[in-house]
Amino acid sequence: MFETVKYEVNNQVAWITLNRPEKLNAFTEQLNKDLERAVKQANRNSAVRCLVITGEGRAFCSGEDLAGVKEDMDHGEVLRRRYNPMVMELHKCDKPIVAAVNGVAAGAGMSLALACDFRLLSEKASFIEAFIHVGLVPDAGNLYYLPKLIGHAKALELAVLGEKISAQMAADLGLATKVIPLDRWEIEVTAFAEKLAAMPTTAIGLIKKNLKASWDHSLEEGLEKDAQAQRVAGMTSDHREGVQAFLEKRNPVFAGK
Amino acid sequence: MNNHYECIEASINGKLGLINLNRPKVLNAINRQMVSDILSVMEDFEENDQVRVIVLSGNGRAFAAGADINEMAADNAIDFELRNQFKDWDRLARIKKPIIGAVQGFALGGGFELALCCDLLLAADDAEFGFPEVNLGVMPGAGGTQRLTKLVGKTIAMEWLFVGKRISAREALQFGIINRIVAKEILMEETLKLAGEVANQAPLSIRLIKESVLKAVDVSLDEGMQFERKNFYLLFSTEDQKEGMRAFQEKRKANFKGK
């Protein structure tokens, strides 16, 4: 279906695996487009209630494939044409997106992980703001998301110093939902994704939307957004099921509607 | 009122006259029949005392994704002139009752022009506006260059029209094209709420406010002030003015009759 991405849906989870292991899943134009289309497809498919993005082999994603970088290249246009639409597709997705960071996430690979909603880190995983080492600036949403996740001061340190961040350091900074031991990796990632997929999907989408909106809205606008979101969530069958299950003292079964 | 139209659905609900563009398979692409249907219903609503506010919306994923290209691809200039292609649009602009539009998905080209004929606009967060005509080697012809410029100014309008820019709901709000953004699921609900609120005001106030505001877009401030004044005076010959002011003094809710 895609040249550089494996895509499969299992138990309502869309598994999107970057599949250029010999190049540590470095981004090419094809990979940017494949990932963008895969996310769009998963978001449109009503049978999908959670997305997992991970890397084949030992890396998550090593960022832009430097083999393709030419001297006369217009870096701004590369971002506008390839990366920005991909990041916007992730941003527009209503469903929860888990970055299962199985290994190194460098440069734009780190940006990709930051644009997801959850970051599960393998104990071998690491982040690195590699841009500064080649005289460039973090891109693809990196400088947008990073300070919101860990604060301005730490974001600046990471971006300017460009030091390797181990999984444990990332967790201490607040960049990881969880660090998972190697022998538990697949089981725990699957369990986490399938748990999300069984939750009230509409409500999750509304939470994502309003949290993001909170970054540039006043309290007054935020309160109105709350009212609208609650009206929408209040009409879902998941809400009725949740209330019913509570009254009947049983576990709810959410259909994602 | 004729209840069957080829390209739209029309109905009356309480004080609201509802029009739903209904060619969802082609994202409500606007053809001549659709404009004629809309106009015919609007003119019925205009004469119907029960209807206080007109609500315009689109069935399906889009409000209206543009004009029907197939219908006009082979036309030449003289066809347009003899047919007086945009005569219905001129009459649409003269409807005196308030028109509230609800936009979800695309409002492009003729769809954007139709949206710009509304007095108030609510948009779902997925709404996208734009004039892509330039990409087809033409330009807007039903008021796009004029109404957009009056709304957002020359600088912005020129750029958007030159490059056929897609305008997000947020940008539309920022530039004063729409009144508010609401969640897609409750777009109609919120639109009907606002329409209901307007429908409960004194109809003659609403009518003369609309007329005065539209006048402001076209004339000098001094001329507009004189025009406004006459309309203000005029309202003092209505029963609703007497009722409104009496209700205020008696600390009760006014009961407006539209007289």
Side-chain angles (χ1 to χ4, degrees), chain A residues 209 216 224 228 231-232 235, chain B residues 125 170 182-183 186 189:
Chain A
K209 202 165 74 170
D216 40 34
E224 174 54 27
Q228 289 190 20
R231 170 63 178 146
V232 174
M235 291 188 288
Chain B
D125 34 27
R170 273 187 66 174
V182 296
I186 52 172
E189 181 176 304

Side-chain angles (χ1 to χ4, degrees), chain B residues 8-68:
Chain B
I8 64 170
E9 290 171 349
S11 60
I12 294 175
N13 185 359
K15 297 174 177 174
L16 308 182
L18 309 176
I19 300 175
N20 230 330
L21 310 183
N22 193 28
R23 299 180 78 208
K25 280 187 196 146
V26 289
L27 300 177
N28 298 324
I30 298 175
N31 55 13
R32 290 198 295 272
Q33 185 62 46
M34 184 186 275
V35 181
S36 149
D37 285 356
I38 294 169
L39 188 76
S40 152
V41 176
M42 288 231 185
E43 290 186 337
D44 283 348
F45 287 163
E46 189 84 325
E47 286 170 17
N48 185 328
D49 288 342
Q50 191 191 332
V51 174
R52 301 265 176 95
V53 174
I54 299 168
V55 175
L56 184 60
S57 58
N59 272 343
R61 286 196 287 129
F63 176 74
D68 191 329

Side-chain angles (χ1 to χ4, degrees), chain A residues 105-167:
Chain A
M110 178 170 173
S111 307
L112 171 61
L114 297 179
C116 296
D117 301 311
F118 300 91
R119 278 154 295 280
L120 297 181
L121 269 53
S122 148
E123 60 185 355
K124 304 191 309 183
S126 61
F127 287 121
I128 179 162
E129 291 278 47
F131 302 92
I132 195 72
H133 302 304
V134 289
L136 293 176
V137 292
D139 58 23
N142 196 302
L143 294 180
Y144 179 78
Y145 287 114
L146 196 59
K148 294 177 171 74
L149 294 169
I150 63 172
H152 185 106
K154 284 292 162 192
L156 186 85
E157 280 176 31
L158 264 48
V160 171
L161 301 178
E163 287 166 0
K164 183 177 164 177
I165 306 144
S166 69

Side-chain angles (χ1 to χ4, degrees), chain A residues 125 130 180-181 195 236:
Chain A
I180 298 170
K195 180 179 151 189
T236 60

Side-chain angles (χ1 to χ4, degrees), chain A residues 8-15 47-48 50 190 194 197:
Chain A
E8 76 184 302
V9 177
N10 222 331
N11 293 331
Q12 306 188 93
V13 176
W15 292 83
V48 169
C50 175
T190 306
E194 290 184 356

Side-chain angles (χ1 to χ4, degrees), chain B:
Chain B
M1 191 181 135
N2 170 7
N3 282 317
H4 188 75
Y5 296 91
E6 205 178 311
C7 302
I8 64 170
E9 290 171 349
S11 60
I12 294 175
N13 185 359
K15 297 174 177 174
L16 308 182
L18 309 176
I19 300 175
N20 230 330
L21 310 183
N22 193 28
R23 299 180 78 208
K25 280 187 196 146
V26 289
L27 300 177
N28 298 324
I30 298 175
N31 55 13
R32 290 198 295 272
Q33 185 62 46
M34 184 186 275
V35 181
S36 149
D37 285 356
I38 294 169
L39 188 76
S40 152
V41 176
M42 288 231 185
E43 290 186 337
D44 283 348
F45 287 163
E46 189 84 325
E47 286 170 17
N48 185 328
D49 288 342
Q50 191 191 332
V51 174
R52 301 265 176 95
V53 174
I54 299 168
V55 175
L56 184 60
S57 58
N59 272 343
R61 286 196 287 129
F63 176 74
D68 191 329
I69 305 295
N70 297 329
E71 192 183 62
M72 64 169 78
D75 276 340
N76 67 41
I78 302 304
D79 295 332
F80 284 127
E81 173 57 30
L82 292 179
R83 194 188 296 129
N84 195 0
Q85 176 83 6
F86 299 112
K87 63 176 185 296
D88 286 345
W89 289 81
D90 293 339
R91 287 160 68 193
L92 201 60
R94 295 198 188 95
I95 296 292
K96 292 200 162 203
K97 289 185 179 171
I99 305 171
I100 303 185
V103 176
Q104 83 282 16
F106 295 133
L108 301 177
F112 192 6
E113 286 171 311
L114 188 59
L116 290 177
C117 288
C118 297
D119 301 310
L120 302 175
L121 276 177
L122 274 75
D125 34 27
D126 74 339
E128 268 186 59
F129 301 83
F131 285 120
E133 285 88 342
V134 69
N135 301 326
L136 305 178
V138 290
M139 60 180 279
T145 64
Q146 304 303 297
R147 289 209 172 88
L148 184 68
T149 306
K150 303 252 183 197
L151 267 179
V152 305
K154 177 203 142 191
T155 314
I156 301 294
M158 201 74 90
E159 182 183 346
W160 287 358
L161 287 154
F162 276 175
V163 303
K165 182 181 152 61
R166 292 286 181 88
I167 300 142
S168 69
R170 273 187 66 174
E171 287 169 299
L173 184 66
Q174 186 191 337
F175 285 96
I177 295 169
I178 59 174
N179 292 82
R180 58 182 84 147
I181 301 174
V182 296
K184 189 180 180 167
E185 294 88 339
I186 52 172
L187 174 66
M188 274 324 285
E189 181 176 304
E190 289 291 316
T191 305
L192 295 176
K193 260 188 220 168
L194 179 62
E197 206 179 312
V198 177
N200 284 330
Q201 307 284 27
L204 288 164
S205 293
I206 297 296
R207 189 182 184 92
L208 297 192
I209 288 170
K210 170 165 174 169
E211 195 183 59
S212 302
V213 172
L214 289 179
K215 186 63 86 175
V217 177
D218 274 342
V219 303
S220 71
L221 179 61
D222 184 58
E223 209 179 314
M225 296 289 279
Q226 302 307 320
F227 187 85
E228 177 192 73
R229 202 158 300 162
K230 299 287 187 221
N231 276 346
F232 175 76
Y233 298 159
L234 188 55
L235 287 174
F236 279 74
S237 63
T238 64
E239 289 175 26
D240 282 350
Q241 175 264 327
K242 307 278 177 290
E243 162 64 9
M245 293 196 168
R246 199 179 308 120
F248 178 81
Q249 287 166 337
E250 293 168 5
K251 296 185 165 61
R252 61 169 174 84
K253 214 169 165 246
N255 179 22
F256 295 122
K257 298 217 163 60
K259 288 181 190 167

